[in-house]
Amino acid sequence: MVFTSEQVSCGHPDKICDQISDAIVTDCLRNDRNSRCGIECLIKDRDILISGELSSLHHPDLERLAFNVLHRVGIRDTSQYWVTDWLGIQSPDIAQGVDTGGAGDQGMMFGYATDETPEMLPIPFAVATLALRLLRGLDSSMFLPDAKAQVSFDYETGKITTFLISTQHRAEYQVSDFRSIVETIMETAAEEYDLNTDFRRLVNPTGRFVIGGSFADCGLTGRKIIADTYGGMCRHGGGALSGKDPTKVDRSGAYMARKIAKDIVRAGDAKRCEVQLAYAIGVAEPVSVGVDCFGTEQRPVGEIVKTIRSFYDLTPRGIIDRLHLLDVDYNDVAAYGHFGRCGLPWEE
C-alpha cells in the first residue's frame, strides 16, 4: 500500500493564521489562566482579520502578537500590514457548562501512535516534516517562507516512491539554481529514517513559485488539521487545535488521546493504536472511549479500554491538570505539527 502524507511550512498562509491564533491564546493564558479563547484568524495579502471569542481579564496587543509571528516566519517589513479586531466574548450559555468543569464543546477527538518511527508518527509524515525543518534551517537567500512537502511511501516494500517539495523562492532564481539543494534535503530526510533515496523527485513541478504566502492564497486558522496531527494516517474528528484554550476538548482531548495511544504502544500492548474520545458540551466525563489497534493488539481491546477508563482522568479539568495545559507555550506547536517532538507534556 502506497500512502502519502503532506506537511507545510511555517510560512504557509494557513500556518501563519494558526501561529497568530496560538500566540494570542498563549499570551492570554500567561496573563489570565482563566481565559477562554476561540481565536480565528484570516490573512489575505496584507490584511489580517482576527475574529472569534475571547473572555479574559487580559487585553492582548493583537497587532504586536500578529507582527511578531510575521517576523518569526521571515516577513520583516510589516509597515503595510493591517490588523482588524472582530473579537467577541464567549457565549454565557457555553460558559455555564465549562465553569462547572464540563467540556467546552461536543465532538470527537483521535490520538494515534505507531512504532514505525522514534517519534511514533507515520513514516511519510515524519519524513515530510523533517524535510521542511531542514529547508527552514538553510542559510540561503534564495528561499522565501512558504513551502510544502509531500512523501509517498510504499508500506509493502518499505520504500519512498515519490518525494515532492514545492518551495517559494526569490524572482531572480530559477528552479535549476536550487534543485540540487532541495534534492539533498530529500535525501537527508530519508536517510535519517534509514530509507531509500532512489525515489522520484519533484521540485517545484510548476517551474516557478515566487508569489506565495497570503499573496497567493487566503490563509485561515484550522485549515491544516491533518498537517497538525498524523498526515492523514489517523482519523480526525474535524476540530482544529490552534486558537483554543484547553477547556475546549478539540485541543485537550486530542492531546490526551495522543498520550494514551503512545502509552499503549510504549507498554507493548500494540504496535499501532488509535484512541477516540468523545464529549458532550457541558459534561465532564467522555460519552465514549474507543480503541483500534488494527490487529496488532497483544491483549483484548476491551481490557485496554477498561485500563484507560481506570487509569486516566478524562475530564477536561483532569486533562488540563495532568498535562499542565495552562502552562504550555502554544507557539511551539502552531507549525510543523503538534506531536512527535520532545518537551511537550503529552509526548512524555
PDB file of all heavy atoms in Angstrom, residues 19-32:
ATOM      1  N   GLN A  19      -0.500  30.259  13.778  1.00  0.00           N
ATOM      2  CA  GLN A  19       0.509  30.801  14.693  1.00  0.00           C
ATOM      3  C   GLN A  19       0.038  32.092  15.358  1.00  0.00           C
ATOM      4  O   GLN A  19       0.299  32.322  16.546  1.00  0.00           O
ATOM      5  CB  GLN A  19       1.816  31.035  13.941  1.00  0.00           C
ATOM      6  CG  GLN A  19       2.511  29.738  13.535  1.00  0.00           C
ATOM      7  CD  GLN A  19       3.658  29.984  12.563  1.00  0.00           C
ATOM      8  OE1 GLN A  19       4.806  30.117  12.964  1.00  0.00           O
ATOM      9  NE2 GLN A  19       3.332  30.046  11.288  1.00  0.00           N
ATOM     10  N   ILE A  20      -0.667  32.923  14.619  1.00  0.00           N
ATOM     11  CA  ILE A  20      -1.215  34.138  15.233  1.00  0.00           C
ATOM     12  C   ILE A  20      -2.261  33.777  16.281  1.00  0.00           C
ATOM     13  O   ILE A  20      -2.276  34.311  17.393  1.00  0.00           O
ATOM     14  CB  ILE A  20      -1.808  35.066  14.152  1.00  0.00           C
ATOM     15  CG1 ILE A  20      -0.688  35.635  13.264  1.00  0.00           C
ATOM     16  CG2 ILE A  20      -2.622  36.196  14.790  1.00  0.00           C
ATOM     17  CD1 ILE A  20      -1.184  36.429  12.065  1.00  0.00           C
ATOM     18  N   SER A  21      -3.146  32.829  15.944  1.00  0.00           N
ATOM     19  CA  SER A  21      -4.174  32.412  16.899  1.00  0.00           C
ATOM     20  C   SER A  21      -3.550  31.851  18.167  1.00  0.00           C
ATOM     21  O   SER A  21      -3.976  32.175  19.287  1.00  0.00           O
ATOM     22  CB  SER A  21      -5.092  31.369  16.254  1.00  0.00           C
ATOM     23  OG  SER A  21      -5.879  31.940  15.223  1.00  0.00           O
ATOM     24  N   ASP A  22      -2.540  31.000  18.017  1.00  0.00           N
ATOM     25  CA  ASP A  22      -1.923  30.396  19.197  1.00  0.00           C
ATOM     26  C   ASP A  22      -1.049  31.376  19.966  1.00  0.00           C
ATOM     27  O   ASP A  22      -0.863  31.225  21.186  1.00  0.00           O
ATOM     28  CB  ASP A  22      -1.123  29.154  18.797  1.00  0.00           C
ATOM     29  CG  ASP A  22      -1.975  27.892  18.837  1.00  0.00           C
ATOM     30  OD1 ASP A  22      -3.060  27.926  19.430  1.00  0.00           O
ATOM     31  OD2 ASP A  22      -1.542  26.870  18.277  1.00  0.00           O
ATOM     32  N   ALA A  23      -0.500  32.378  19.297  1.00  0.00           N
ATOM     33  CA  ALA A  23       0.227  33.429  20.011  1.00  0.00           C
ATOM     34  C   ALA A  23      -0.719  34.191  20.928  1.00  0.00           C
ATOM     35  O   ALA A  23      -0.363  34.540  22.072  1.00  0.00           O
ATOM     36  CB  ALA A  23       0.891  34.381  19.017  1.00  0.00           C
ATOM     37  N   ILE A  24      -1.930  34.435  20.465  1.00  0.00           N
ATOM     38  CA  ILE A  24      -2.925  35.141  21.281  1.00  0.00           C
ATOM     39  C   ILE A  24      -3.363  34.271  22.454  1.00  0.00           C
ATOM     40  O   ILE A  24      -3.470  34.751  23.596  1.00  0.00           O
ATOM     41  CB  ILE A  24      -4.125  35.554  20.409  1.00  0.00           C
ATOM     42  CG1 ILE A  24      -3.676  36.557  19.333  1.00  0.00           C
ATOM     43  CG2 ILE A  24      -5.237  36.151  21.261  1.00  0.00           C
ATOM     44  CD1 ILE A  24      -4.710  36.821  18.256  1.00  0.00           C
ATOM     45  N   VAL A  25      -3.624  32.981  22.198  1.00  0.00           N
ATOM     46  CA  VAL A  25      -4.009  32.072  23.276  1.00  0.00           C
ATOM     47  C   VAL A  25      -2.935  32.025  24.354  1.00  0.00           C
ATOM     48  O   VAL A  25      -3.222  32.147  25.554  1.00  0.00           O
ATOM     49  CB  VAL A  25      -4.270  30.651  22.721  1.00  0.00           C
ATOM     50  CG1 VAL A  25      -4.440  29.654  23.862  1.00  0.00           C
ATOM     51  CG2 VAL A  25      -5.505  30.640  21.833  1.00  0.00           C
ATOM     52  N   THR A  26      -1.688  31.852  23.945  1.00  0.00           N
ATOM     53  CA  THR A  26      -0.590  31.758  24.908  1.00  0.00           C
ATOM     54  C   THR A  26      -0.451  33.035  25.717  1.00  0.00           C
ATOM     55  O   THR A  26      -0.276  33.006  26.950  1.00  0.00           O
ATOM     56  CB  THR A  26       0.727  31.450  24.179  1.00  0.00           C
ATOM     57  OG1 THR A  26       0.601  30.212  23.458  1.00  0.00           O
ATOM     58  CG2 THR A  26       1.884  31.331  25.156  1.00  0.00           C
ATOM     59  N   ASP A  27      -0.558  34.177  25.058  1.00  0.00           N
ATOM     60  CA  ASP A  27      -0.441  35.458  25.740  1.00  0.00           C
ATOM     61  C   ASP A  27      -1.568  35.628  26.763  1.00  0.00           C
ATOM     62  O   ASP A  27      -1.335  36.087  27.891  1.00  0.00           O
ATOM     63  CB  ASP A  27      -0.480  36.589  24.707  1.00  0.00           C
ATOM     64  CG  ASP A  27      -0.316  37.963  25.337  1.00  0.00           C
ATOM     65  OD1 ASP A  27       0.743  38.226  25.926  1.00  0.00           O
ATOM     66  OD2 ASP A  27      -1.259  38.767  25.227  1.00  0.00           O
ATOM     67  N   CYS A  28      -2.764  35.241  26.397  1.00  0.00           N
ATOM     68  CA  CYS A  28      -3.895  35.385  27.314  1.00  0.00           C
ATOM     69  C   CYS A  28      -3.757  34.462  28.521  1.00  0.00           C
ATOM     70  O   CYS A  28      -3.994  34.869  29.659  1.00  0.00           O
ATOM     71  CB  CYS A  28      -5.208  35.115  26.583  1.00  0.00           C
ATOM     72  SG  CYS A  28      -5.680  36.419  25.416  1.00  0.00           S
ATOM     73  N   LEU A  29      -3.363  33.203  28.303  1.00  0.00           N
ATOM     74  CA  LEU A  29      -3.238  32.266  29.414  1.00  0.00           C
ATOM     75  C   LEU A  29      -2.102  32.653  30.357  1.00  0.00           C
ATOM     76  O   LEU A  29      -2.176  32.405  31.565  1.00  0.00           O
ATOM     77  CB  LEU A  29      -3.026  30.847  28.884  1.00  0.00           C
ATOM     78  CG  LEU A  29      -4.237  30.207  28.197  1.00  0.00           C
ATOM     79  CD1 LEU A  29      -3.861  28.854  27.622  1.00  0.00           C
ATOM     80  CD2 LEU A  29      -5.405  30.062  29.165  1.00  0.00           C
ATOM     81  N   ARG A  30      -1.053  33.259  29.824  1.00  0.00           N
ATOM     82  CA  ARG A  30       0.047  33.707  30.684  1.00  0.00           C
ATOM     83  C   ARG A  30      -0.405  34.826  31.620  1.00  0.00           C
ATOM     84  O   ARG A  30       0.095  34.948  32.747  1.00  0.00           O
ATOM     85  CB  ARG A  30       1.211  34.199  29.818  1.00  0.00           C
ATOM     86  CG  ARG A  30       2.061  33.084  29.230  1.00  0.00           C
ATOM     87  CD  ARG A  30       3.115  33.644  28.300  1.00  0.00           C
ATOM     88  NE  ARG A  30       3.991  32.594  27.788  1.00  0.00           N
ATOM     89  CZ  ARG A  30       4.866  32.776  26.802  1.00  0.00           C
ATOM     90  NH1 ARG A  30       4.962  33.969  26.210  1.00  0.00           N
ATOM     91  NH2 ARG A  30       5.632  31.784  26.401  1.00  0.00           N
ATOM     92  N   ASN A  31      -1.332  35.628  31.175  1.00  0.00           N
ATOM     93  CA  ASN A  31      -1.762  36.781  31.955  1.00  0.00           C
ATOM     94  C   ASN A  31      -3.070  36.549  32.710  1.00  0.00           C
ATOM     95  O   ASN A  31      -3.354  37.271  33.669  1.00  0.00           O
ATOM     96  CB  ASN A  31      -1.911  37.998  31.028  1.00  0.00           C
ATOM     97  CG  ASN A  31      -0.571  38.515  30.538  1.00  0.00           C
ATOM     98  OD1 ASN A  31       0.101  39.262  31.236  1.00  0.00           O
ATOM     99  ND2 ASN A  31      -0.176  38.098  29.331  1.00  0.00           N
ATOM    100  N   ASP A  32      -3.843  35.570  32.277  1.00  0.00           N
ATOM    101  CA  ASP A  32      -5.086  35.221  32.969  1.00  0.00           C
ATOM    102  C   ASP A  32      -5.364  33.752  32.677  1.00  0.00           C
ATOM    103  O   ASP A  32      -5.832  33.389  31.596  1.00  0.00           O
ATOM    104  CB  ASP A  32      -6.247  36.089  32.494  1.00  0.00           C
ATOM    105  CG  ASP A  32      -7.580  35.686  33.128  1.00  0.00           C
ATOM    106  OD1 ASP A  32      -7.575  34.848  34.052  1.00  0.00           O
ATOM    107  OD2 ASP A  32      -8.634  36.198  32.674  1.00  0.00           O
TER     108      ASP A  32
END
